[in-house]
Amino acid sequence: MQNNTAISELIEAGKWVSQKGWVPATGGNFSARTSTGFVVTASGHDKGALMPEHFLQLNHLGERVAGAIKPSAETQLHLSLYQLIPDAQYVLHTHSVAATVLSNIIQRHQLELTGYEMQKALSGITSHLESLAIPIFDNDQDIDRLSLLVSDHHLHSPIKHAVLIRGHGLYAVGRNIDEVRRHLEALEFLFSCELERLKITGTAL
Ligand SMILES: CSCCC(=O)C(=O)COP(=O)(O)O
Ligand SMILES: [Zn+2]
């Protein structure tokens, strides 16, 4: 993946995600794997109004190759996801209301979804009868420590599509920009369905 192509795709994705209301204020961060490492958004910018200068190039170890600005505070989590999931080419992190509230309400360490046709938008899922589990990690201002938790979890339960950070947001991964956007949109739809179901039934899965 060329850096310029990746950056253009992430700028476009940022506008879309922002229009959806999933990156309020300066929430969220995005990255793409490249031939030399990955590109990641700078910290503290509106992700709906990104410019090429709002990206840094980092190598496979997460060390800065280009860009004088401060990288996302959550860069280590992006690096860990690329190290853990060899197929992952894009990571989009968002702060939607549904992901934030649902991950706070559910006390367990995973959100289990079943019975929804939309689950089939997640790669590898072929029926609404399958169970889709999205791991939930307790939020931590120490991103290195949080990343280690994610890595440990992956050893026994490989992360396929996404992870939730409790009260914080969603990290979606994909093998290309279309797939990561599809995963993100489908999961947001499923989270909204679950929130509606909870409002009506008062029962968390
Ligand atoms: C106001 S959002 C708090 C930080 C955060 O969770 C986030 O996603 C944005 O951080 P970044 O450093 O990537 O701008
Ligand atoms: Zn965040």
Side-chain angles (χ1 to χ4, degrees):
M1 170 70 62
Q2 291 290 315
N3 289 345
N4 290 346
T5 309
I7 289 170
S8 301
E9 286 172 340
L10 292 176
I11 289 174
E12 198 56 39
K15 290 179 190 158
W16 169 70
V17 167
S18 178
Q19 280 165 6
K20 294 279 192 184
W22 298 338
V23 282
T26 55
N29 31 72
F30 313 138
S31 69
R33 194 195 290 272
T34 64
S35 50
T36 53
F38 63 108
V39 291
V40 68
T41 45
S43 185
H45 290 280
D46 174 357
K47 306 311 182 306
L50 292 169
M51 310 281 274
E53 55 267 32
H54 296 144
F55 288 82
L56 294 94
Q57 293 172 39
L58 306 179
N59 67 15
H60 297 102
L61 300 172
E63 297 162 339
R64 185 193 304 252
V65 175
I69 42 179
K70 187 179 166 202
S72 167
E74 297 168 4
T75 297
Q76 180 58 44
L77 209 33
H78 290 255
L79 174 62
S80 294
L81 289 169
Y82 290 124
Q83 289 173 339
L84 297 171
I85 311 170
D87 271 0
Q89 290 292 334
Y90 287 83
V91 177
L92 298 180
H93 165 53
T94 50
H95 282 213
S96 71
V97 171
T100 304
V101 174
L102 203 55
S103 60
N104 240 350
I105 289 174
I106 293 175
Q107 290 174 2
R108 288 196 286 161
H109 286 280
Q110 63 177 21
L111 169 65
E112 283 174 28
L113 298 159
T114 190
Y116 293 108
E117 183 70 8
M118 184 56 76
Q119 289 169 222
K120 287 162 56 184
L122 283 294
S123 295
I125 300 206
T126 57
S127 168
H128 65 289
L129 297 175
E130 287 179 45
S131 180
L132 168 64
I134 307 296
I136 305 175
F137 298 94
D138 291 339
N139 197 19
D140 193 334
Q141 296 304 317
D142 185 331
I143 294 296
D144 291 350
R145 191 163 57 198
L146 181 54
S147 302
L148 279 177
L149 274 186
V150 172
S151 301
D152 285 349
H153 174 91
H154 183 81
L155 291 177
H156 58 84
S157 303
I159 294 158
K160 293 191 185 110
H161 311 102
V163 300
L164 278 164
I165 310 297
R166 200 180 302 287
H168 179 160
L170 175 70
Y171 277 81
V173 302
R175 291 170 293 184
N176 52 58
I177 191 69
D178 291 339
E179 184 177 72
V180 71
R181 285 177 61 150
R182 193 180 76 240
H183 285 172
L184 181 58
E185 189 165 21
L187 286 167
E188 288 295 346
F189 173 84
L190 291 165
F191 296 162
S192 297
C193 290
E194 272 303 284
L195 271 185
E196 286 300 313
R197 198 183 60 74
L198 276 173
K199 277 188 219 162
I200 294 164
T201 66
T203 318
L205 279 176

